[in-house]
Amino acid sequence: MRADARRNAEKLRTAAVELFRERGLQAPLKEIARRAGVSHGTLYNLYGTREALIDEVVTDLAADRLDEVSRRALAMDDAWDGFAYYIETLCELQITDPAISDVVTGRYPNAERLMAVCGRAHDAATRIIERAQQAGSLRPDFTGEDLVFVFATNSVLSRAVRDTAPDVWRRGVAFTLDGLRTQAAHPLPTPPLTPQQVYEVMGNIAGA
């Protein structure tokens, strides 16, 4: 890559990180190019697609955040505390970092490197869930696929209340966690989503 192209790529990476973290991964590419001080065509010449740009600038950041949350959750002595910490922390990240919110809800399944990070996060979440269930504190019918409802709901809520009641998400998460305790469990009317259904649901969220 020529020196001028390297400079443009670095300016685009910096602008993309800023805008993705301000507005989420749907931030307009033209705005990223404008902030970087380059043409829209330059962005496409260097990265080709939104997904390629996302993979370039978001994947490592998301991996660091998600891996750290999982590590801390699994290190807690009390399995329920670890599970609650995992849910609460990721929901808070959805509020404070719109890019991470889009990562958690899998809005861009064609960003291959990012989806690998999501897969690793899902495996860690499964261990966190199973650990709490084995301790008898988390209802036994909750699955990793059910996290779709928790994080997708929180994502929609976070965008709607960010400017009017930015802390109200904590109330919703508290209700959710109370409902997931073993002693609160009642029979559920339908089975959990399959992994394929989760993939289709995430695709629908991404297209919304």
Side-chain angles (χ1 to χ4, degrees):
M1 188 182 290
R2 299 193 316 270
D4 59 340
R6 286 197 301 271
R7 287 193 295 271
N8 286 337
E10 183 57 35
K11 288 190 290 186
L12 282 166
R13 282 193 292 269
T14 300
V17 168
E18 291 174 354
L19 271 166
F20 284 153
R21 298 189 71 179
E22 290 172 11
R23 305 187 192 180
L25 300 183
Q26 78 283 1
L29 297 184
K30 288 184 178 180
E31 177 64 16
I32 292 173
R34 187 201 63 77
R35 185 173 293 194
V38 304
S39 71
H40 196 206
T42 296
L43 187 154
Y44 276 102
N45 286 337
L46 287 171
Y47 293 105
T49 65
R50 177 183 297 273
E51 287 76 10
L53 180 61
I54 288 170
D55 266 346
E56 176 69 20
V57 305
V58 174
T59 298
D60 291 341
L61 172 66
D64 289 345
R65 292 287 183 87
L66 296 179
D67 289 349
E68 177 65 10
V69 174
S70 299
R71 185 191 66 77
R72 288 179 177 270
L74 289 166
M76 289 185 174
D77 292 334
D78 185 277
W80 173 262
D81 287 347
F83 174 76
Y85 168 83
Y86 182 79
I87 297 295
E88 290 168 348
T89 303
L90 285 188
C91 285
E92 184 170 16
L93 282 174
Q94 287 185 294
I95 303 297
T96 59
D97 193 331
I100 296 298
S101 180
D102 288 338
V103 170
V104 169
T105 51
R107 288 178 63 91
Y108 292 94
N110 292 324
E112 295 181 1
R113 289 184 60 228
L114 188 60
M115 287 302 100
V117 171
C118 290
R120 189 164 74 240
H122 182 271
D123 291 342
T126 299
R127 296 197 301 274
I128 293 165
I129 289 168
E130 290 175 348
R131 183 169 174 255
Q133 288 172 332
Q134 290 166 3
S137 52
L138 174 63
R139 56 186 300 159
D141 52 359
F142 185 79
T143 71
E145 286 70 32
D146 289 323
L147 288 173
V148 171
F149 299 109
V150 177
F151 295 134
T153 300
N154 189 67
S155 176
V156 172
L157 178 64
S158 70
R159 295 175 191 275
V161 304
R162 185 172 292 130
D163 296 328
T164 54
D167 289 331
V168 76
W169 67 271
R170 297 182 186 278
R171 183 178 177 89
V173 170
F175 279 130
T176 297
L177 288 173
D178 276 352
L180 292 176
R181 292 181 182 274
T182 300
Q183 59 267 35
H186 293 86
L188 295 173
T190 60
L193 296 174
T194 66
Q196 177 60 33
Q197 287 173 323
V198 169
Y199 179 81
E200 293 173 358
V201 168
M202 291 306 190
N204 290 338
I205 292 173

